[in-house]
Structure formats: structure tokens, C-alpha cells
Amino acid sequence: MSGMVTHGGQAVQGYSSLAKWFHWVTVGLLAVALVFGFILSFLAGGLKDEFGPTKFALYAIHESAGLTLFFVALLRLGWRFVSRPPALPDSMPVPMRRAAAAVHHTLYATLLLQPILGFMATNAWGFPMAGSTAYLGFIDMPKFMEANTSLAEWLGLGHTIVAYVMVASLVLHIGAVIFHQAIRRDGMLLRMV
């Protein structure tokens, strides 16, 4: 159930407690996955070359956060179907509503697509999530393909492109939050806190 919060003497319909939990867990996991992903992208060698235990540990954290993010995103989408999000206020212009919908849809698409591409790429590079890069450090994920460098490069490129689309969408989303809080002062931020 969504709750009501007050802003400037007016009631603003907020998200349910579970929806808020999903949102903030997503934020935390996304921060970990993105930070470690960008760190790894700047380390020389990539998955093709041999690398030490430190780089394996970084990959394990990045991959575990990403795969957990995928599961949380699935649960979050399921919850959205069961518990519809609160409607946007009538005072919000139609173009702003459309922009919000486009950014949210893009974020959900990237939250689902990015871990799939990453999981497939690690398998194609010949490094399934097992052993030193096991999911959460102890769950070996099944290997579903043999190493294929050409496919791995394409999957890696897709993973990189989706990462930049995700970051751009996050910048737009956070920018909108700041805009609503600082300029419109319409209480939109209160819906998710």
C-alpha cells in the first residue's frame, strides 16, 4: 500500500514501503556495480589476459552486485504489477510525464539487460561465475557456453553501451529529482523517502 506524505500543507501520495525498499536496494547495488565496473574498465588487460587475485575479486564483486541487481529488478517489476505506483500529480505537464515514463522504462530495461549481457560475456570469455568469481563468493553459476572471443567482444561492447545508456538515464533521473525538489518544490522526492 502506498502512503500519504505531506508537503507544503498538501498531501502527496507516496510509494509503498516495499517499493521504497526495492528502490533503495537498487540504488546501493547499482552504485557498487557501476563503480566496480568502471574501475575494471580502466584496468589494463580485460578478461582475455591473465590477472591476479585482486582483479578476480573486483570482478566477483561487480558480477555479484550485477546479478543481484537483476533479481531485485525482476522482483521490483513484479511488485509494480501487484502494487501500482502512485499516480503523478495532475499539476505535472504532459511532456514531463512522458519524459519521466521514458527514463523509468529505460532504467528498468538497462537493469535487466545489463546483467544478462555481462553474464553472457563472462561465459563467452571463458570465465563463468565460478570458483574465485562465484556469485556472492560461494555459488558457482552454470557454464552455458564454450569460450568464444568474437562473441565475447560483441557482448562486451553491448555491455559497455548499455552501461553508458544506464548512466545517462541515471543522470536524467537524478536531475529530475533535483529539479522537482529545488525548482518545482512539488514534493516528488517525498514519494520515495
Side-chain angles (χ1 to χ4, degrees), residues 12 33 35 37-38 54 64 75 81 100 107 117 123 142 144 181 191:
V12 177
V35 167
F38 282 113
T54 300
S64 291
L75 291 171
F81 287 114
L107 282 171
L117 288 170
N123 269 267
F144 63 91
Q181 188 65 20
R191 292 162 37 111

Side-chain angles (χ1 to χ4, degrees), residues 5 13 23 26 35-36 40 42 55 72 75 78 85 93 108 131 133 147 163 168:
V5 292
Q13 190 169 8
H23 177 270
T26 299
V35 167
F36 281 84
L40 287 165
F42 291 107
K55 198 166 181 183
V72 169
L75 291 171
Y108 274 110
T133 58

Side-chain angles (χ1 to χ4, degrees), residues 169-189:
S169 300
L170 284 170
V171 167
L172 290 171
H173 182 65
I174 294 167
V177 169
I178 294 168
F179 173 76
H180 280 283
Q181 188 65 20
I183 296 171
R184 282 183 61 95
R185 299 177 189 239
D186 56 10
M188 292 296 286
L189 175 64

Side-chain angles (χ1 to χ4, degrees), residues 1 15 46 92 116 119 129 148 172 186:
M1 289 292 184
Y15 284 85
M92 186 178 289
I116 292 170
F119 183 71
M129 293 178 71
N148 181 332
L172 290 171
D186 56 10

Side-chain angles (χ1 to χ4, degrees), residues 101-122:
V103 170
H104 279 106
H105 288 116
T106 302
L107 282 171
Y108 274 110
T110 60
L111 287 173
L112 295 172
L113 183 59
Q114 186 68 336
I116 292 170
L117 288 170
F119 183 71
M120 291 175 65
T122 57

Side-chain angles (χ1 to χ4, degrees), residues 15-190:
Y15 284 85
S16 68
S17 295
L18 187 56
K20 291 176 185 179
W21 183 87
F22 279 134
H23 177 270
W24 293 109
V25 167
T26 299
V27 168
L29 288 168
L30 198 51
V32 170
L34 284 173
V35 167
F36 281 84
F38 282 113
I39 289 170
L40 287 165
S41 70
F42 291 107
L43 294 177
L47 277 171
K48 295 177 283 190
D49 303 327
E50 288 187 28
F51 44 85
T54 300
K55 198 166 181 183
F56 270 120
L58 295 175
Y59 271 108
I61 293 168
H62 171 71
E63 293 168 356
S64 291
L67 194 54
T68 303
L69 194 52
F70 175 76
F71 297 136
V72 169
L74 285 177
L75 291 171
R76 189 173 175 182
L77 280 170
W79 179 247
R80 279 181 74 95
F81 287 114
V82 173
S83 175
R84 302 299 290 171
L88 294 171
D90 293 336
S91 62
M92 186 178 289
V94 171
M96 206 176 283
R97 290 169 179 270
R98 289 185 179 150
V103 170
H104 279 106
H105 288 116
T106 302
L107 282 171
Y108 274 110
T110 60
L111 287 173
L112 295 172
L113 183 59
Q114 186 68 336
I116 292 170
L117 288 170
F119 183 71
M120 291 175 65
T122 57
N123 269 267
W125 283 120
F127 292 97
M129 293 178 71
S132 61
T133 58
Y135 177 58
L136 301 177
F138 64 93
I139 301 172
D140 287 343
M141 300 300 285
K143 179 180 176 184
F144 63 91
M145 71 171 76
E146 293 303 315
N148 181 332
T149 303
S150 178
L151 177 60
E153 288 173 351
W154 280 105
L155 290 168
L157 176 62
H159 192 66
T160 299
I161 291 169
V162 172
Y164 284 109
V165 170
M166 179 183 282
V167 169
S169 300
L170 284 170
V171 167
L172 290 171
H173 182 65
I174 294 167
V177 169
I178 294 168
F179 173 76
H180 280 283
Q181 188 65 20
I183 296 171
R184 282 183 61 95
R185 299 177 189 239
D186 56 10
M188 292 296 286
L189 175 64
L190 298 176

